[in-house]
């Protein structure tokens, strides 16, 4: 079971942003920018392009809704998108509020925000869903 499946199952806490029957969105614990959100299929599949077509398209449709809520909740110029999967073998889309192109640099020092701030950000995004 991946760490993300354990989050979906409620065994590990997360700063949940949104969920439906098949997909789940939550804040990245070590964000590259405030509001950095991960969008995942609940079904455990390692690689984005291994998803069957319906699930793949559904994931992007769900990510689009989350991105609009994120953009409404977190001041930024636009939402950047990345798919890496170098760390966690459960496919996920990174949604990152961008003010400069450097905000999408995953090699730089990540942020560590206080739990209260993470909670407040997640709640602000969830309120725009
Ligand atoms: P990657 O697989 O390369 O896309 O990176 C995995 C991402 O998941 C990183 O940005 C991590 O900070 C994030 N991450 C890992 N564990 C957790 C967790 N328990 N809750 C939220 N985000 C996580």
């Amino acid at each position: 079971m991946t760490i993300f499946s354990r989050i979906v199952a409620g065994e590990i806490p997360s700063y949940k942003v949104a969920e439906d029957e098949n997909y789940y969105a939550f804040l990245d614990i070590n964000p590259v920018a405030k509001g950095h959100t991960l969008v995942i299929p609940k079904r455990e599949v390692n690689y984005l392009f291994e998803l069957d077509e319906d699930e793949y398209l559904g994931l992007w449709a769900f990510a689009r809704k989350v991105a609009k809520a994120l953009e409404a909740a977190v001041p930024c110029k636009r939402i950047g998108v990345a798919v890496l999967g170098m760390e966690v073998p459960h496919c996920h889309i990174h949604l990152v509020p961008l003010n400069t192109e450097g905000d999408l640099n995953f090699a730089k020092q990540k942020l560590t925000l206080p739990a209260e701030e993470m909670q407040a950000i997640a709640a602000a995004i969830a309120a725009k869903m």
Side-chain angles (χ1 to χ4, degrees):
M1 204 176 189
T2 65
I3 191 164
F4 289 174
S5 289
R6 296 185 67 199
I7 284 174
V8 170
E11 294 174 15
I12 292 179
S14 68
Y15 298 100
K16 183 170 115 176
V17 164
E19 144 176 60
D20 72 7
E21 190 187 346
N22 298 311
Y23 308 104
Y24 192 93
F26 57 107
L27 294 186
D28 193 297
I29 203 75
N30 289 124
V32 294
K34 284 187 186 185
H36 180 176
T37 297
L38 302 177
V39 183
I40 66 171
K42 289 185 174 176
R43 198 167 74 88
E44 194 173 301
V45 173
N46 181 349
Y47 186 41
L48 181 74
F49 300 120
E50 284 170 357
L51 291 170
D52 64 47
E53 190 169 344
D54 286 350
E55 199 174 13
Y56 176 84
L57 295 175
L59 178 65
W60 283 106
F62 186 74
R64 180 171 178 268
K65 286 186 205 152
V66 175
K68 285 176 179 288
L70 182 53
E71 196 165 16
V74 176
C76 63
K77 289 192 174 154
R78 56 174 53 225
I79 303 301
V81 177
V83 176
L84 288 87
M86 304 303 284
E87 231 181 81
V88 178
H90 184 141
C91 72
H92 48 282
I93 297 170
H94 294 259
L95 299 178
V96 180
L98 299 181
N99 287 297
T100 72
E101 65 180 20
D103 292 334
L104 208 51
N105 176 6
F106 285 77
K108 75 179 181 193
Q109 178 74 42
K110 308 276 174 60
L111 303 175
T112 308
L113 303 176
E116 305 74 49
E117 189 172 3
M118 293 288 276
Q119 192 55 58
I121 293 169
I125 303 165
K128 300 288 185 185
M129 287 294 298

